[in-house]
Amino acid sequence: SQTIHQWPATLVQPVGSPLSLECTVEGTSNPNLYWYRQAAGRGLQLLFYSVGIGQISSEVPQNLSASRPQDRQFILSSKKLLLSDSGFYLCAWSRGGASGRGTDTQYFGPGTRLTVL
Amino acid sequence: AQKITQTQPGMFVQEKEAVTLDCTYDTSDPSYGLFWYKQPSSGEMIFLIYQGSYDQQNATEGRYSLNFQKARKSANLVISASQLGDSAMYFCAMREGRDDKIIFGKGTRLHILP
């Protein structure tokens, strides 16, 4: 079965510090990978998604970046955090490939709660 | 225009009653998928149920069913015999055609009262 891991679970960082959040998926190959941010009491905002190694699509211009150095690893980074970067960051995966995209469910990791002070 | 609309920001329901959470969607793609997720206070997003645009029957998963009305572009989630553990945020979502992205609604916070 497939599992998705995120770490750290919680993080408190000062403004201007760098950020690195990691997400890994087990039990599948060539997944589509996604980073979302959820502000307190709000819905999900898609930040980045990737359909393969080195292929990153950005949805929202911001000071965040994403990388996919390995097939099942997705990293969210920032060089200098802003107060507005605080939130709950969720990584998700779905089955990759060209067929059946309309039916492919996204499965989420446990999330990272980031507080920028 | 919003692709997914959830008009109920919050709902209070008595335990053991049935609950209907509303969701309408907007797409011109004939092929799409509709999803419902549950987010308890722990923050994890739990997949509940899926409905494909070409599915002839409404999807069901245990106590969850999806009332799919294609002509009205409506995909309401029905929870039968609600339980205290159903208290959570519920998100409706849609994936269009061969798009890799899923679009989420703003969610409905459901409170089950003892």
Side-chain angles (χ1 to χ4, degrees):
Chain A
S1 64
Q2 300 85 11
T3 54
I4 179 168
H5 304 279
Q6 283 185 248
W7 61 91
T10 60
L11 192 60
V12 180
Q13 292 283 95
V15 168
S17 63
L19 173 74
S20 181
L21 303 182
E22 190 165 341
C23 170
T24 58
V25 181
E26 295 178 356
T28 187
S29 58
N30 195 31
N32 290 350
L33 297 171
Y34 307 82
W35 277 113
Y36 290 88
R37 177 170 60 200
Q38 185 178 31
R42 300 284 190 92
L44 277 73
Q45 179 188 34
L46 179 63
L47 301 175
F48 301 95
Y49 70 98
S50 170
V51 299
I53 295 175
Q55 300 178 61
I56 309 294
S57 296
S58 174
E59 290 295 300
V60 181
Q62 61 220 328
N63 70 319
L64 299 173
S65 62
S67 62
R68 185 169 177 174
Q70 299 180 45
D71 181 44
R72 289 169 288 178
Q73 184 184 32
F74 205 23
I75 297 172
L76 183 69
S77 304
S78 173
K79 292 183 179 178
K80 286 186 178 182
L81 283 168
L82 307 172
L83 286 174
S84 57
D85 291 325
S86 292
F88 190 55
Y89 288 81
L90 286 156
C91 181
W93 76 273
S94 69
R95 188 171 54 141
S99 64
R101 281 200 178 113
T103 66
D104 291 340
T105 300
Q106 284 187 8
Y107 297 96
F108 287 81
T112 294
R113 201 165 297 280
L114 171 66
T115 303
V116 182
L117 302 174
Chain B
Q2 286 190 41
K3 293 268 188 176
I4 296 288
T5 302
Q6 295 181 252
T7 57
Q8 307 151 309
M11 287 185 68
F12 290 82
V13 173
Q14 208 66 41
E15 189 181 9
K16 299 182 184 177
E17 290 184 352
V19 181
T20 297
L21 303 180
D22 296 340
C23 174
T24 56
Y25 59 92
D26 182 25
T27 182
S28 57
D29 197 317
S31 176
Y32 53 90
L34 297 159
F35 307 82
W36 276 93
Y37 288 84
K38 173 184 178 181
Q39 187 179 39
S41 56
S42 60
E44 59 186 314
M45 289 285 286
I46 302 167
F47 165 70
L48 295 178
I49 196 166
Y50 163 81
Q51 179 84 44
S53 59
Y54 295 119
D55 293 343
Q56 295 296 313
Q57 296 191 335
N58 287 343
T60 60
E61 288 286 349
R63 294 186 300 113
Y64 303 109
S65 61
L66 201 151
N67 183 3
F68 182 44
Q69 298 189 38
K70 196 170 183 177
R72 298 176 61 183
K73 294 189 175 179
S74 167
N76 297 342
L77 177 71
V78 180
I79 306 174
S80 63
S82 59
Q83 302 171 357
L84 294 177
D86 294 332
S87 293
M89 195 77 168
Y90 288 81
F91 291 95
C92 179
M94 175 176 68
R95 172 177 254 160
E96 294 178 286
R98 301 185 74 77
D99 202 342
D100 292 301
K101 301 177 292 184
I102 287 182
I103 303 162
F104 284 81
K106 295 186 176 181
T108 295
R109 183 165 296 281
L110 176 63
H111 304 268
I112 305 297
L113 304 172

